Amino acid sequence: MRSGAFLSILLAAILGISALYAPQPLLALLRDQFQVSQATASLLITVTLAPLGIAPLVFGALLESFSAKRLACAALALLALSEAAVFLAPSFWVLLL
């Protein structure tokens, strides 16, 4: 594997993991920013991590139909769009969506 490809895969993995776990230390800030309770703010972690239970089943079917490189590129594009939407969320409930 070329070093450029390896670095791209490594960066994609770091960005994906960061998107999943970054909200945890920010819960107090998000709670204050959106003026919701601590329990309500913790829904953000639930909504973020719950799909991980189902994802392996879907990924198996997708990898049979598409190449891993194509799926990784699509996933990174979707991650970028969703992170931009999170940044622009006007309310907590939109953020959860």
Side-chain angles (χ1 to χ4, degrees):
M1 179 183 298
R2 297 178 327 199
S3 64
F6 176 74
L7 289 176
S8 297
I9 292 170
L10 183 63
L11 179 62
I14 290 170
L15 290 174
I17 291 170
S18 296
L20 284 174
Y21 294 106
Q24 284 180 322
L26 299 175
L27 282 180
L29 178 68
L30 292 171
R31 180 190 68 215
D32 295 341
Q33 181 70 29
F34 290 110
Q35 299 176 351
V36 295
S37 69
Q38 185 171 352
T40 302
S42 66
L43 283 174
L44 185 60
I45 302 303
T46 302
V47 167
T48 303
L49 296 178
L52 290 178
I54 300 168
L57 301 172
V58 176
F59 290 154
L62 286 174
L63 283 171
E64 289 181 2
S65 303
F66 301 101
S67 72
K69 181 179 178 181
R70 191 173 191 182
L71 283 177
C73 290
L76 280 175
L78 186 61
L79 177 63
L81 290 174
S82 65
E83 290 300 311
V86 164
F87 176 74
L88 298 172
S91 71
F92 183 76
W93 302 108
V94 173
L95 181 68
L96 281 180
L97 180 66

